[in-house]
Every structure is written in C-alpha cells, then in structure tokens.
Amino acid sequence: DQQVKQNSPSLSVQEGRISILNCDYTNSMFDYFLWYKKYPAEGPTFLISISSIKDKNEDGRFTVFLNKSAKHLSLHIVPSQPGDSAVYFCAASANFGNEKLTFGTGTRLTIIP
Amino acid sequence: DTAVSQTPKYLVTQMGNDKSIKCEQNLGHDTMYWYKQDSKKFLKIMFSYNNKELIINETVPNRFSPKSPDKAHLNLHINSLELGDSAVYFCASSSVNTEAFFGQGTRLTVV
C-alpha cells in the first residue's frame, strides 16, 4: 500500500524554466511533508519541508505547495539549473520530531542546458 | 566532516553469510534509523532507535538485528543473507528540531 505517490518517474525541463514535481498522499494522519534530493551513489539530502498548518513554504529557488483537501503537494524550482538534475523524493510523517518517514518512489529530474 | 557515515559503501557476499553494516553520526542527534531502498527504488524504514532504545521496528525478518552501543552509532547485522536482501541500505539520524540526515548508503549485493 503506497501511501505516498509520485506518479511521474521522470521529468525533463529546459534550463531557466520552472520545474514542477508532484506528490500525492493517502494517509490523513500525515502532517509534515518533506522533499529530499538524491544524486547517484549518495544519500538523500533534505531540501525543503512544510507543515500541514501552512499551504506554502519558500526557500530561494524552491517552493513547496500543500493542498490538504486534495492530499497533494508540489515542489517548484525556478529557475531550473543543471545542478538540479537529480532524483527528488517526496516524504511524509505523522509528526515532526518523531519521524517515521514514508517516501514516494522518486522523480528523476533532468535539466536540459 | 561527514555528518552520517556508513561503512562499507559496497558489500558483495554469498548467500548464507552473516554481515554487518556500521553507521556513525557526529551531529549529536538522539534518533537514528535504518532505511532500505529495494530494486524498485522504494525507500522504506526498517528500524529507529532513540537514545539507544528501539522505537520503530517495521516488519523485518528476524535475521536483521540492529544494535546501538551509544546514541552516535547504529549498526545493522544481517544473518543468513538471502538474494532478496540485495538493496541499498541507508542510515539516517535526526533530533527533535531537525529533519533526517542520511548517510551515503551501503549497496549490498548477495550472490
């Protein structure tokens, strides 16, 4: 039972354009959401997060949007840069600080120069 | 300065063997985890320890035994390795006010 889903296994975006990565979840108990970025042969690195009390969180080029009613979140990267090429994992937990993270299967983002 | 370090990075071993993967974190975090990423790229939690106490134990075969000698270390011992154990194993750590930091992963191949 996949509680966190990333339905797009891959995405290609032109450099300078906006990249939008999507994530859906089914568990209503999730109240904290994270995006991790992963390069080959490395571990996931934390990118940005959002609590369920917010609907938007922004950090530089990265913005995460949360739509609780639709159980959907998205990560926007603008402008996209070649170094953004990586696999992006969406993750969710029932509460921050006691994190059993449930991950999606990832979306491979390729930025085309 | 590596925050969460795992050894070895690669491990190739025969079926039936017993092997260990070590993990250390120098972040002062209270909680450490083992995650498994299988061939389908699902990244799933296996165990979580808080101050050396087991707090999460997902449905994992008894052949997998985590050991936490202190809160900076969480090792994973696997007995009687099977082909299906081949995966990438990630160690991670966190504290109350931080997100989880992951190690670089250990790619285990059972032949």
Side-chain angles (χ1 to χ4, degrees), chain B residues 21-78:
Chain B
I21 307 171
K22 295 186 176 181
C23 179
E24 175 181 3
Q25 54 96 3
N26 62 6
L27 298 166
H29 290 166
D30 296 321
T31 306
M32 295 186 71
Y33 313 80
W34 278 109
Y35 282 82
K36 177 182 178 180
Q37 186 179 33
D38 61 22
S39 57
K40 295 183 179 178
K41 305 303 181 187
F42 290 115
L43 190 61
K44 292 185 178 177
I45 192 166
M46 300 172 68
F47 301 103
S48 171
Y49 270 73
N50 183 274
N51 280 320
K52 302 193 297 175
E53 181 182 346
L54 180 66
I55 56 172
I56 295 176
N57 184 351
E58 292 295 292
T59 306
V60 176
N62 291 337
R63 299 181 295 102
F64 290 78
S65 53
K67 291 222 173 17
S68 182
D70 55 63
K71 74 173 192 177
H73 295 84
L74 180 61
N75 304 322
L76 183 65
H77 189 75
I78 315 170

Side-chain angles (χ1 to χ4, degrees), chain A residues 27-77:
Chain A
N27 190 339
S28 300
M29 298 300 293
F30 289 148
D31 62 2
Y32 190 70
F33 305 90
L34 308 89
W35 284 94
Y36 278 82
K37 177 180 179 179
K38 185 181 180 306
Y39 292 118
E42 294 185 11
T45 55
F46 170 72
L47 193 58
I48 193 169
S49 63
I50 188 166
S51 161
S52 61
I53 62 173
K54 294 185 174 182
D55 54 18
K56 177 182 174 181
N57 189 26
E58 190 171 353
D59 183 3
R61 296 185 298 114
F62 303 92
T63 303
V64 56
F65 295 92
L66 174 62
N67 182 333
K68 286 191 296 288
S69 60
K71 293 192 176 67
H72 177 84
L73 62 155
S74 61
L75 173 68
H76 292 209
I77 306 172

Side-chain angles (χ1 to χ4, degrees), chain B residues 4 14 21 25 40 64-65 67 69 74 85-87 93 95 97-98 103 106-107 109:
Chain B
V4 181
Q14 289 187 322
I21 307 171
Q25 54 96 3
K40 295 183 179 178
F64 290 78
S65 53
K67 291 222 173 17
L74 180 61
D85 297 331
S86 295
S93 71
S95 70
N97 297 317
T98 73
T106 296
R107 181 174 293 277
T109 303

